[in-house]
Amino acid sequence: GDSVTQTEGLVTLTEGLPVMLNCTYQTIYSNPFLFWYVQHLNESPRLLLKSFTDNKRTEHQGFHATLHKSSSSFHLQKSSAQLSDSALYYCALSESQGGRALIFGTGTTVSVSP
Amino acid sequence: AQTIHQWPVAEIKAVGSPLSLGCTIKGKSSPNLYWYWQATGGTLQQLFYSITVGQVESVVQLNLSASRPKDDQFILSTEKLLLSHSGFYLCAWSLEGPDYTFGSGTRLLVI
């Protein structure tokens, strides 16, 4: 079945440094949708960005990600982390535009310190 | 503007007791609705989805059931709670695509 792998459970860094969160996926479908959700403490997940176009960079709120179907990856990056970026980040996969399920990875907790 | 409301905000329930969690979406007609569960420290696991009134598909059972009695309402319930039911329950909606908007969630502690 479909799956999403996030290799880092916890990422700790200092404010101002770049951050990259890994996301790879497995699916039999040729046109998957990939998502990044962010969940701040005691809040519900919120969509950060999404993509279904191969090799096209998607950006939102200083974060960016590029879907690479050749490597089944959708890594999340930001050039300069802020304290407010401390949160739990989920990568998620849907098989298609009409997919009935959003498959989430295990999540990566980002902790940014001054 | 569309809103999604979940109730209750939090519950502490005894093992073996019944449970009913609710979700209401306003401002959208015929949304797709979903229930997700997040164990403490765990990932988001889809439980059920519904694309129309009266129709609910189960993804993972977990001794829970769901119903959609109205277009804008989605109910999650069980007759007998287990300790393993503790966690964070999230309702979500989408229209045609998989862009989900999550509700604020219900925190459940089973003791």
Side-chain angles (χ1 to χ4, degrees), chain A residues 10-59:
Chain A
L10 173 64
V11 171
T12 58
L13 68 157
T14 304
E15 187 179 20
L17 291 181
V19 58
M20 179 166 130
L21 307 184
N22 290 311
C23 172
T24 56
Y25 63 90
Q26 281 190 308
T27 180
I28 62 173
Y29 299 97
S30 57
N31 295 306
F33 280 61
L34 273 295
F35 302 79
W36 277 101
Y37 279 81
V38 57
Q39 184 178 21
H40 286 92
L41 190 62
N42 296 322
E43 295 182 4
S44 56
R46 174 177 57 84
L47 179 64
L48 181 58
L49 47 80
K50 63 182 179 182
S51 179
F52 60 90
T53 305
D54 198 13
N55 298 317
K56 181 180 178 181
R57 175 172 163 142
T58 299
E59 298 189 39

mmCIF file of all heavy atoms in Angstrom, chain A residues 10-59:
data_model
loop_
_atom_site.group_PDB
_atom_site.id
_atom_site.type_symbol
_atom_site.label_atom_id
_atom_site.label_comp_id
_atom_site.label_asym_id
_atom_site.label_seq_id
_atom_site.Cartn_x
_atom_site.Cartn_y
_atom_site.Cartn_z
ATOM 1 N N LEU A 10 13.149 14.178 15.145
ATOM 2 C CA LEU A 10 13.350 15.462 15.816
ATOM 3 C C LEU A 10 14.507 16.195 15.136
ATOM 4 O O LEU A 10 15.564 15.610 14.893
ATOM 5 C CB LEU A 10 13.677 15.249 17.294
ATOM 6 C CG LEU A 10 14.081 16.474 18.112
ATOM 7 C CD1 LEU A 10 12.928 17.466 18.195
ATOM 8 C CD2 LEU A 10 14.538 16.057 19.501
ATOM 9 N N VAL A 11 14.252 17.453 14.851
ATOM 10 C CA VAL A 11 15.299 18.318 14.306
ATOM 11 C C VAL A 11 15.428 19.529 15.215
ATOM 12 O O VAL A 11 14.435 20.228 15.462
ATOM 13 C CB VAL A 11 14.957 18.776 12.863
ATOM 14 C CG1 VAL A 11 15.925 19.835 12.390
ATOM 15 C CG2 VAL A 11 14.951 17.588 11.913
ATOM 16 N N THR A 12 16.611 19.733 15.742
ATOM 17 C CA THR A 12 16.851 20.899 16.591
ATOM 18 C C THR A 12 17.863 21.803 15.902
ATOM 19 O O THR A 12 18.859 21.330 15.346
ATOM 20 C CB THR A 12 17.389 20.489 17.962
ATOM 21 O OG1 THR A 12 18.600 19.746 17.790
ATOM 22 C CG2 THR A 12 16.389 19.624 18.701
ATOM 23 N N LEU A 13 17.579 23.084 15.902
ATOM 24 C CA LEU A 13 18.489 24.011 15.259
ATOM 25 C C LEU A 13 18.362 25.395 15.883
ATOM 26 O O LEU A 13 17.419 25.671 16.633
ATOM 27 C CB LEU A 13 18.233 24.086 13.760
ATOM 28 C CG LEU A 13 16.943 24.700 13.258
ATOM 29 C CD1 LEU A 13 17.147 25.181 11.819
ATOM 30 C CD2 LEU A 13 15.798 23.698 13.295
ATOM 31 N N THR A 14 19.308 26.224 15.538
ATOM 32 C CA THR A 14 19.333 27.592 16.036
ATOM 33 C C THR A 14 18.655 28.520 15.045
ATOM 34 O O THR A 14 18.764 28.336 13.824
ATOM 35 C CB THR A 14 20.789 28.040 16.259
ATOM 36 O OG1 THR A 14 21.431 27.116 17.148
ATOM 37 C CG2 THR A 14 20.843 29.440 16.854
ATOM 38 N N GLU A 15 17.977 29.486 15.579
ATOM 39 C CA GLU A 15 17.294 30.492 14.769
ATOM 40 C C GLU A 15 18.247 31.073 13.725
ATOM 41 O O GLU A 15 19.403 31.371 14.020
ATOM 42 C CB GLU A 15 16.784 31.595 15.691
ATOM 43 C CG GLU A 15 15.918 32.634 15.036
ATOM 44 C CD GLU A 15 15.434 33.672 16.044
ATOM 45 O OE1 GLU A 15 16.064 33.802 17.115
ATOM 46 O OE2 GLU A 15 14.429 34.336 15.744
ATOM 47 N N GLY A 16 17.736 31.211 12.501
ATOM 48 C CA GLY A 16 18.536 31.795 11.431
ATOM 49 C C GLY A 16 19.221 30.775 10.545
ATOM 50 O O GLY A 16 19.654 31.109 9.440
ATOM 51 N N LEU A 17 19.319 29.538 11.022
ATOM 52 C CA LEU A 17 19.940 28.489 10.212
ATOM 53 C C LEU A 17 18.918 27.856 9.275
ATOM 54 O O LEU A 17 17.712 27.902 9.525
ATOM 55 C CB LEU A 17 20.539 27.417 11.115
ATOM 56 C CG LEU A 17 21.757 27.850 11.936
ATOM 57 C CD1 LEU A 17 22.266 26.691 12.775
ATOM 58 C CD2 LEU A 17 22.871 28.377 11.036
ATOM 59 N N PRO A 18 19.412 27.247 8.183
ATOM 60 C CA PRO A 18 18.485 26.589 7.262
ATOM 61 C C PRO A 18 17.989 25.265 7.836
ATOM 62 O O PRO A 18 18.644 24.638 8.675
ATOM 63 C CB PRO A 18 19.342 26.356 6.014
ATOM 64 C CG PRO A 18 20.736 26.286 6.526
ATOM 65 C CD PRO A 18 20.799 27.222 7.695
ATOM 66 N N VAL A 19 16.820 24.880 7.366
ATOM 67 C CA VAL A 19 16.240 23.614 7.813
ATOM 68 C C VAL A 19 15.748 22.832 6.604
ATOM 69 O O VAL A 19 15.231 23.413 5.636
ATOM 70 C CB VAL A 19 15.087 23.845 8.817
ATOM 71 C CG1 VAL A 19 13.990 24.708 8.222
ATOM 72 C CG2 VAL A 19 14.528 22.529 9.326
ATOM 73 N N MET A 20 15.947 21.526 6.647
ATOM 74 C CA MET A 20 15.421 20.649 5.605
ATOM 75 C C MET A 20 14.850 19.400 6.253
ATOM 76 O O MET A 20 15.514 18.739 7.058
ATOM 77 C CB MET A 20 16.496 20.253 4.603
ATOM 78 C CG MET A 20 15.975 19.319 3.516
ATOM 79 S SD MET A 20 17.093 19.148 2.127
ATOM 80 C CE MET A 20 17.186 17.389 1.977
ATOM 81 N N LEU A 21 13.624 19.101 5.914
ATOM 82 C CA LEU A 21 12.953 17.906 6.426
ATOM 83 C C LEU A 21 12.740 16.948 5.267
ATOM 84 O O LEU A 21 12.228 17.336 4.216
ATOM 85 C CB LEU A 21 11.605 18.288 7.048
ATOM 86 C CG LEU A 21 11.614 19.385 8.105
ATOM 87 C CD1 LEU A 21 10.210 19.563 8.668
ATOM 88 C CD2 LEU A 21 12.610 19.096 9.193
ATOM 89 N N ASN A 22 13.135 15.710 5.484
ATOM 90 C CA ASN A 22 13.046 14.719 4.417
ATOM 91 C C ASN A 22 11.681 14.052 4.358
ATOM 92 O O ASN A 22 11.066 13.768 5.388
ATOM 93 C CB ASN A 22 14.117 13.647 4.614
ATOM 94 C CG ASN A 22 15.506 14.196 4.363
ATOM 95 O OD1 ASN A 22 15.745 14.846 3.355
ATOM 96 N ND2 ASN A 22 16.419 13.955 5.287
ATOM 97 N N CYS A 23 11.260 13.805 3.140
ATOM 98 C CA CYS A 23 10.016 13.071 2.910
ATOM 99 C C CYS A 23 10.159 12.256 1.639
ATOM 100 O O CYS A 23 10.453 12.801 0.568
ATOM 101 C CB CYS A 23 8.833 14.014 2.781
ATOM 102 S SG CYS A 23 7.299 13.198 2.282
ATOM 103 N N THR A 24 9.978 10.966 1.753
ATOM 104 C CA THR A 24 9.907 10.099 0.582
ATOM 105 C C THR A 24 8.622 9.303 0.658
ATOM 106 O O THR A 24 8.049 9.132 1.731
ATOM 107 C CB THR A 24 11.109 9.144 0.493
ATOM 108 O OG1 THR A 24 11.185 8.378 1.697
ATOM 109 C CG2 THR A 24 12.403 9.898 0.279
ATOM 110 N N TYR A 25 8.180 8.834 -0.480
ATOM 111 C CA TYR A 25 6.900 8.154 -0.494
ATOM 112 C C TYR A 25 6.940 6.944 -1.419
ATOM 113 O O TYR A 25 7.817 6.826 -2.278
ATOM 114 C CB TYR A 25 5.784 9.110 -0.930
ATOM 115 C CG TYR A 25 5.936 9.626 -2.338
ATOM 116 C CD1 TYR A 25 5.378 8.956 -3.429
ATOM 117 C CD2 TYR A 25 6.644 10.793 -2.585
ATOM 118 C CE1 TYR A 25 5.535 9.437 -4.721
ATOM 119 C CE2 TYR A 25 6.806 11.281 -3.875
ATOM 120 C CZ TYR A 25 6.256 10.603 -4.934
ATOM 121 O OH TYR A 25 6.414 11.080 -6.215
ATOM 122 N N GLN A 26 5.964 6.081 -1.218
ATOM 123 C CA GLN A 26 5.774 4.927 -2.089
ATOM 124 C C GLN A 26 4.310 4.884 -2.491
ATOM 125 O O GLN A 26 3.428 4.965 -1.631
ATOM 126 C CB GLN A 26 6.132 3.624 -1.366
ATOM 127 C CG GLN A 26 7.615 3.340 -1.270
ATOM 128 C CD GLN A 26 7.886 1.931 -0.764
ATOM 129 O OE1 GLN A 26 7.350 1.547 0.271
ATOM 130 N NE2 GLN A 26 8.692 1.173 -1.466
ATOM 131 N N THR A 27 4.083 4.764 -3.780
ATOM 132 C CA THR A 27 2.720 4.632 -4.276
ATOM 133 C C THR A 27 2.741 3.986 -5.649
ATOM 134 O O THR A 27 3.713 4.144 -6.394
ATOM 135 C CB THR A 27 2.015 5.992 -4.348
ATOM 136 O OG1 THR A 27 0.675 5.800 -4.836
ATOM 137 C CG2 THR A 27 2.736 6.960 -5.277
ATOM 138 N N ILE A 28 1.671 3.293 -5.976
ATOM 139 C CA ILE A 28 1.585 2.694 -7.306
ATOM 140 C C ILE A 28 0.962 3.662 -8.297
ATOM 141 O O ILE A 28 0.961 3.413 -9.498
ATOM 142 C CB ILE A 28 0.752 1.389 -7.269
ATOM 143 C CG1 ILE A 28 -0.690 1.685 -6.824
ATOM 144 C CG2 ILE A 28 1.418 0.363 -6.364
ATOM 145 C CD1 ILE A 28 -1.610 0.487 -6.936
ATOM 146 N N TYR A 29 0.451 4.772 -7.782
ATOM 147 C CA TYR A 29 -0.225 5.723 -8.647
ATOM 148 C C TYR A 29 0.772 6.686 -9.280
ATOM 149 O O TYR A 29 1.709 7.141 -8.635
ATOM 150 C CB TYR A 29 -1.306 6.462 -7.856
ATOM 151 C CG TYR A 29 -2.347 5.516 -7.321
ATOM 152 C CD1 TYR A 29 -2.289 5.046 -6.010
ATOM 153 C CD2 TYR A 29 -3.368 5.043 -8.146
ATOM 154 C CE1 TYR A 29 -3.238 4.153 -5.536
ATOM 155 C CE2 TYR A 29 -4.311 4.148 -7.670
ATOM 156 C CZ TYR A 29 -4.234 3.701 -6.372
ATOM 157 O OH TYR A 29 -5.157 2.811 -5.912
ATOM 158 N N SER A 30 0.510 7.030 -10.510
ATOM 159 C CA SER A 30 1.480 7.814 -11.276
ATOM 160 C C SER A 30 1.364 9.314 -11.034
ATOM 161 O O SER A 30 2.292 10.059 -11.341
ATOM 162 C CB SER A 30 1.308 7.524 -12.774
ATOM 163 O OG SER A 30 -0.024 7.814 -13.167
ATOM 164 N N ASN A 31 0.234 9.767 -10.504
ATOM 165 C CA ASN A 31 0.055 11.205 -10.290
ATOM 166 C C ASN A 31 -0.355 11.513 -8.852
ATOM 167 O O ASN A 31 -1.449 12.021 -8.602
ATOM 168 C CB ASN A 31 -0.998 11.761 -11.256
ATOM 169 C CG ASN A 31 -0.545 11.663 -12.697
ATOM 170 O OD1 ASN A 31 0.534 12.143 -13.050
ATOM 171 N ND2 ASN A 31 -1.344 11.029 -13.535
ATOM 172 N N PRO A 32 0.510 11.236 -7.915
ATOM 173 C CA PRO A 32 0.162 11.494 -6.517
ATOM 174 C C PRO A 32 0.202 12.981 -6.183
ATOM 175 O O PRO A 32 0.898 13.758 -6.831
ATOM 176 C CB PRO A 32 1.256 10.746 -5.754
ATOM 177 C CG PRO A 32 2.437 10.818 -6.658
ATOM 178 C CD PRO A 32 1.873 10.706 -8.055
ATOM 179 N N PHE A 33 -0.555 13.330 -5.163
ATOM 180 C CA PHE A 33 -0.506 14.659 -4.576
ATOM 181 C C PHE A 33 0.313 14.566 -3.288
ATOM 182 O O PHE A 33 0.083 13.680 -2.473
ATOM 183 C CB PHE A 33 -1.910 15.154 -4.232
ATOM 184 C CG PHE A 33 -2.664 15.705 -5.405
ATOM 185 C CD1 PHE A 33 -2.956 14.914 -6.499
ATOM 186 C CD2 PHE A 33 -3.093 17.023 -5.408
ATOM 187 C CE1 PHE A 33 -3.663 15.414 -7.578
ATOM 188 C CE2 PHE A 33 -3.800 17.534 -6.495
ATOM 189 C CZ PHE A 33 -4.079 16.733 -7.569
ATOM 190 N N LEU A 34 1.240 15.476 -3.091
ATOM 191 C CA LEU A 34 2.039 15.508 -1.881
ATOM 192 C C LEU A 34 1.760 16.791 -1.119
ATOM 193 O O LEU A 34 1.553 17.854 -1.709
ATOM 194 C CB LEU A 34 3.533 15.403 -2.194
ATOM 195 C CG LEU A 34 4.145 14.015 -2.318
ATOM 196 C CD1 LEU A 34 4.097 13.271 -0.972
ATOM 197 C CD2 LEU A 34 3.478 13.202 -3.407
ATOM 198 N N PHE A 35 1.751 16.652 0.202
ATOM 199 C CA PHE A 35 1.401 17.763 1.071
ATOM 200 C C PHE A 35 2.389 17.863 2.234
ATOM 201 O O PHE A 35 2.961 16.858 2.666
ATOM 202 C CB PHE A 35 0.008 17.553 1.696
ATOM 203 C CG PHE A 35 -1.099 17.390 0.707
ATOM 204 C CD1 PHE A 35 -1.302 16.186 0.062
ATOM 205 C CD2 PHE A 35 -1.950 18.449 0.428
ATOM 206 C CE1 PHE A 35 -2.328 16.030 -0.850
ATOM 207 C CE2 PHE A 35 -2.976 18.307 -0.483
ATOM 208 C CZ PHE A 35 -3.171 17.095 -1.127
ATOM 209 N N TRP A 36 2.535 19.056 2.751
ATOM 210 C CA TRP A 36 3.167 19.283 4.043
ATOM 211 C C TRP A 36 2.146 19.982 4.934
ATOM 212 O O TRP A 36 1.571 21.007 4.542
ATOM 213 C CB TRP A 36 4.418 20.134 3.936
ATOM 214 C CG TRP A 36 5.632 19.348 3.561
ATOM 215 C CD1 TRP A 36 6.215 19.266 2.329
ATOM 216 C CD2 TRP A 36 6.436 18.533 4.424
ATOM 217 N NE1 TRP A 36 7.314 18.441 2.375
ATOM 218 C CE2 TRP A 36 7.473 17.982 3.654
ATOM 219 C CE3 TRP A 36 6.375 18.225 5.785
ATOM 220 C CZ2 TRP A 36 8.435 17.136 4.189
ATOM 221 C CZ3 TRP A 36 7.334 17.378 6.306
ATOM 222 C CH2 TRP A 36 8.358 16.846 5.513
ATOM 223 N N TYR A 37 1.922 19.375 6.110
ATOM 224 C CA TYR A 37 1.070 19.985 7.117
ATOM 225 C C TYR A 37 1.948 20.358 8.318
ATOM 226 O O TYR A 37 2.900 19.654 8.653
ATOM 227 C CB TYR A 37 -0.015 19.014 7.584
ATOM 228 C CG TYR A 37 -1.205 18.930 6.664
ATOM 229 C CD1 TYR A 37 -1.171 18.149 5.515
ATOM 230 C CD2 TYR A 37 -2.367 19.650 6.941
ATOM 231 C CE1 TYR A 37 -2.259 18.089 4.664
ATOM 232 C CE2 TYR A 37 -3.463 19.586 6.100
ATOM 233 C CZ TYR A 37 -3.400 18.807 4.966
ATOM 234 O OH TYR A 37 -4.481 18.745 4.123
ATOM 235 N N VAL A 38 1.562 21.441 8.983
ATOM 236 C CA VAL A 38 2.271 21.859 10.189
ATOM 237 C C VAL A 38 1.281 21.870 11.353
ATOM 238 O O VAL A 38 0.135 22.300 11.196
ATOM 239 C CB VAL A 38 2.939 23.246 9.998
ATOM 240 C CG1 VAL A 38 1.935 24.307 9.608
ATOM 241 C CG2 VAL A 38 3.708 23.646 11.250
ATOM 242 N N GLN A 39 1.733 21.357 12.475
ATOM 243 C CA GLN A 39 0.883 21.300 13.668
ATOM 244 C C GLN A 39 1.637 21.916 14.834
ATOM 245 O O GLN A 39 2.594 21.341 15.359
ATOM 246 C CB GLN A 39 0.499 19.848 13.980
ATOM 247 C CG GLN A 39 -0.466 19.711 15.137
ATOM 248 C CD GLN A 39 -0.864 18.259 15.379
ATOM 249 O OE1 GLN A 39 -0.171 17.326 14.965
ATOM 250 N NE2 GLN A 39 -2.001 18.042 16.042
ATOM 251 N N HIS A 40 1.187 23.083 15.260
ATOM 252 C CA HIS A 40 1.778 23.706 16.437
ATOM 253 C C HIS A 40 1.193 23.086 17.690
ATOM 254 O O HIS A 40 0.115 22.462 17.660
ATOM 255 C CB HIS A 40 1.563 25.219 16.402
ATOM 256 C CG HIS A 40 2.431 25.917 15.417
ATOM 257 N ND1 HIS A 40 2.044 26.169 14.114
ATOM 258 C CD2 HIS A 40 3.691 26.401 15.518
ATOM 259 C CE1 HIS A 40 3.010 26.776 13.467
ATOM 260 N NE2 HIS A 40 4.038 26.936 14.287
ATOM 261 N N LEU A 41 1.868 23.267 18.782
ATOM 262 C CA LEU A 41 1.498 22.628 20.036
ATOM 263 C C LEU A 41 0.052 22.932 20.396
ATOM 264 O O LEU A 41 -0.378 24.087 20.373
ATOM 265 C CB LEU A 41 2.436 23.105 21.148
ATOM 266 C CG LEU A 41 2.353 22.361 22.471
ATOM 267 C CD1 LEU A 41 2.733 20.890 22.274
ATOM 268 C CD2 LEU A 41 3.243 23.017 23.514
ATOM 269 N N ASN A 42 -0.683 21.892 20.707
ATOM 270 C CA ASN A 42 -2.093 21.990 21.116
ATOM 271 C C ASN A 42 -3.007 22.572 20.039
ATOM 272 O O ASN A 42 -4.072 23.109 20.358
ATOM 273 C CB ASN A 42 -2.229 22.807 22.401
ATOM 274 C CG ASN A 42 -1.552 22.130 23.572
ATOM 275 O OD1 ASN A 42 -1.593 20.898 23.696
ATOM 276 N ND2 ASN A 42 -0.917 22.893 24.427
ATOM 277 N N GLU A 43 -2.577 22.480 18.804
ATOM 278 C CA GLU A 43 -3.418 22.922 17.704
ATOM 279 C C GLU A 43 -3.650 21.761 16.741
ATOM 280 O O GLU A 43 -3.036 20.702 16.854
ATOM 281 C CB GLU A 43 -2.776 24.098 16.971
ATOM 282 C CG GLU A 43 -2.656 25.344 17.817
ATOM 283 C CD GLU A 43 -2.059 26.511 17.046
ATOM 284 O OE1 GLU A 43 -1.817 26.377 15.836
ATOM 285 O OE2 GLU A 43 -1.827 27.555 17.668
ATOM 286 N N SER A 44 -4.521 21.958 15.795
ATOM 287 C CA SER A 44 -4.757 20.949 14.780
ATOM 288 C C SER A 44 -3.846 21.202 13.582
ATOM 289 O O SER A 44 -3.340 22.310 13.408
ATOM 290 C CB SER A 44 -6.222 20.947 14.349
ATOM 291 O OG SER A 44 -6.607 22.218 13.903
ATOM 292 N N PRO A 45 -3.610 20.197 12.755
ATOM 293 C CA PRO A 45 -2.722 20.373 11.592
ATOM 294 C C PRO A 45 -3.301 21.389 10.605
ATOM 295 O O PRO A 45 -4.509 21.487 10.419
ATOM 296 C CB PRO A 45 -2.687 18.974 10.964
ATOM 297 C CG PRO A 45 -3.102 18.053 12.050
ATOM 298 C CD PRO A 45 -4.082 18.816 12.881
ATOM 299 N N ARG A 46 -2.392 22.108 9.986
ATOM 300 C CA ARG A 46 -2.772 23.126 9.006
ATOM 301 C C ARG A 46 -1.935 22.913 7.750
ATOM 302 O O ARG A 46 -0.736 22.671 7.833
ATOM 303 C CB ARG A 46 -2.514 24.508 9.601
ATOM 304 C CG ARG A 46 -2.716 25.671 8.666
ATOM 305 C CD ARG A 46 -2.499 26.996 9.415
ATOM 306 N NE ARG A 46 -1.187 27.082 10.035
ATOM 307 C CZ ARG A 46 -0.076 27.465 9.420
ATOM 308 N NH1 ARG A 46 -0.080 27.742 8.128
ATOM 309 N NH2 ARG A 46 1.083 27.558 10.082
ATOM 310 N N LEU A 47 -2.584 23.015 6.602
ATOM 311 C CA LEU A 47 -1.874 22.818 5.342
ATOM 312 C C LEU A 47 -0.817 23.899 5.156
ATOM 313 O O LEU A 47 -1.099 25.092 5.269
ATOM 314 C CB LEU A 47 -2.871 22.844 4.185
ATOM 315 C CG LEU A 47 -2.278 22.667 2.792
ATOM 316 C CD1 LEU A 47 -1.649 21.293 2.641
ATOM 317 C CD2 LEU A 47 -3.355 22.886 1.729
ATOM 318 N N LEU A 48 0.390 23.477 4.864
ATOM 319 C CA LEU A 48 1.494 24.403 4.639
ATOM 320 C C LEU A 48 1.727 24.592 3.132
ATOM 321 O O LEU A 48 1.786 25.707 2.642
ATOM 322 C CB LEU A 48 2.765 23.885 5.315
ATOM 323 C CG LEU A 48 4.019 24.738 5.206
ATOM 324 C CD1 LEU A 48 3.788 26.124 5.786
ATOM 325 C CD2 LEU A 48 5.183 24.062 5.918
ATOM 326 N N LEU A 49 1.894 23.491 2.423
ATOM 327 C CA LEU A 49 1.980 23.577 0.974
ATOM 328 C C LEU A 49 1.711 22.216 0.354
ATOM 329 O O LEU A 49 1.667 21.196 1.046
ATOM 330 C CB LEU A 49 3.331 24.146 0.506
ATOM 331 C CG LEU A 49 4.622 23.626 1.091
ATOM 332 C CD1 LEU A 49 5.031 22.323 0.442
ATOM 333 C CD2 LEU A 49 5.751 24.638 0.861
ATOM 334 N N LYS A 50 1.486 22.246 -0.953
ATOM 335 C CA LYS A 50 1.106 21.030 -1.653
ATOM 336 C C LYS A 50 1.639 21.067 -3.078
ATOM 337 O O LYS A 50 1.933 22.140 -3.624
ATOM 338 C CB LYS A 50 -0.416 20.883 -1.695
ATOM 339 C CG LYS A 50 -1.095 22.004 -2.456
ATOM 340 C CD LYS A 50 -2.604 21.853 -2.448
ATOM 341 C CE LYS A 50 -3.247 23.014 -3.215
ATOM 342 N NZ LYS A 50 -4.721 22.945 -3.211
ATOM 343 N N SER A 51 1.721 19.907 -3.698
ATOM 344 C CA SER A 51 2.171 19.845 -5.081
ATOM 345 C C SER A 51 1.743 18.548 -5.730
ATOM 346 O O SER A 51 1.616 17.516 -5.062
ATOM 347 C CB SER A 51 3.698 19.961 -5.161
ATOM 348 O OG SER A 51 4.142 19.888 -6.506
ATOM 349 N N PHE A 52 1.504 18.618 -7.019
ATOM 350 C CA PHE A 52 1.309 17.412 -7.808
ATOM 351 C C PHE A 52 2.078 17.487 -9.128
ATOM 352 O O PHE A 52 1.994 16.603 -9.966
ATOM 353 C CB PHE A 52 -0.176 17.154 -8.081
ATOM 354 C CG PHE A 52 -0.853 18.260 -8.842
ATOM 355 C CD1 PHE A 52 -0.888 18.245 -10.222
ATOM 356 C CD2 PHE A 52 -1.456 19.305 -8.170
ATOM 357 C CE1 PHE A 52 -1.523 19.259 -10.920
ATOM 358 C CE2 PHE A 52 -2.084 20.323 -8.864
ATOM 359 C CZ PHE A 52 -2.117 20.302 -10.229
ATOM 360 N N THR A 53 2.819 18.573 -9.290
ATOM 361 C CA THR A 53 3.565 18.786 -10.529
ATOM 362 C C THR A 53 5.021 18.387 -10.343
ATOM 363 O O THR A 53 5.707 18.921 -9.458
ATOM 364 C CB THR A 53 3.489 20.256 -10.952
ATOM 365 O OG1 THR A 53 2.115 20.632 -11.054
ATOM 366 C CG2 THR A 53 4.173 20.459 -12.291
ATOM 367 N N ASP A 54 5.481 17.515 -11.172
ATOM 368 C CA ASP A 54 6.849 17.029 -11.083
ATOM 369 C C ASP A 54 7.852 18.149 -11.352
ATOM 370 O O ASP A 54 7.681 18.950 -12.288
ATOM 371 C CB ASP A 54 7.056 15.904 -12.102
ATOM 372 C CG ASP A 54 8.269 15.042 -11.801
ATOM 373 O OD1 ASP A 54 8.824 15.146 -10.688
ATOM 374 O OD2 ASP A 54 8.679 14.276 -12.688
ATOM 375 N N ASN A 55 8.859 18.215 -10.512
ATOM 376 C CA ASN A 55 9.985 19.144 -10.665
ATOM 377 C C ASN A 55 9.605 20.622 -10.610
ATOM 378 O O ASN A 55 10.339 21.470 -11.112
ATOM 379 C CB ASN A 55 10.742 18.859 -11.968
ATOM 380 C CG ASN A 55 11.345 17.474 -11.979
ATOM 381 O OD1 ASN A 55 11.914 17.022 -10.979
ATOM 382 N ND2 ASN A 55 11.198 16.774 -13.085
ATOM 383 N N LYS A 56 8.492 20.942 -10.024
ATOM 384 C CA LYS A 56 8.087 22.337 -9.861
ATOM 385 C C LYS A 56 8.170 22.739 -8.396
ATOM 386 O O LYS A 56 7.595 22.077 -7.530
ATOM 387 C CB LYS A 56 6.667 22.554 -10.370
ATOM 388 C CG LYS A 56 6.210 24.004 -10.239
ATOM 389 C CD LYS A 56 4.783 24.178 -10.753
ATOM 390 C CE LYS A 56 4.320 25.622 -10.565
ATOM 391 N NZ LYS A 56 2.925 25.814 -11.038
ATOM 392 N N ARG A 57 8.865 23.825 -8.107
ATOM 393 C CA ARG A 57 9.024 24.304 -6.735
ATOM 394 C C ARG A 57 7.743 24.973 -6.259
ATOM 395 O O ARG A 57 7.175 25.813 -6.961
ATOM 396 C CB ARG A 57 10.203 25.263 -6.685
ATOM 397 C CG ARG A 57 10.443 25.943 -5.337
ATOM 398 C CD ARG A 57 11.738 26.703 -5.381
ATOM 399 N NE ARG A 57 11.853 27.677 -4.319
ATOM 400 C CZ ARG A 57 12.999 27.926 -3.688
ATOM 401 N NH1 ARG A 57 14.101 27.265 -4.007
ATOM 402 N NH2 ARG A 57 13.036 28.839 -2.741
ATOM 403 N N THR A 58 7.316 24.603 -5.069
ATOM 404 C CA THR A 58 6.131 25.189 -4.440
ATOM 405 C C THR A 58 6.572 25.924 -3.192
ATOM 406 O O THR A 58 7.364 25.388 -2.406
ATOM 407 C CB THR A 58 5.135 24.077 -4.059
ATOM 408 O OG1 THR A 58 4.728 23.382 -5.235
ATOM 409 C CG2 THR A 58 3.907 24.671 -3.389
ATOM 410 N N GLU A 59 6.057 27.149 -2.996
ATOM 411 C CA GLU A 59 6.489 27.952 -1.859
ATOM 412 C C GLU A 59 5.310 28.497 -1.075
ATOM 413 O O GLU A 59 4.245 28.797 -1.643
ATOM 414 C CB GLU A 59 7.333 29.148 -2.334
ATOM 415 C CG GLU A 59 8.603 28.770 -3.051
ATOM 416 C CD GLU A 59 9.494 29.968 -3.314
ATOM 417 O OE1 GLU A 59 9.598 30.857 -2.453
ATOM 418 O OE2 GLU A 59 10.102 30.009 -4.406
#
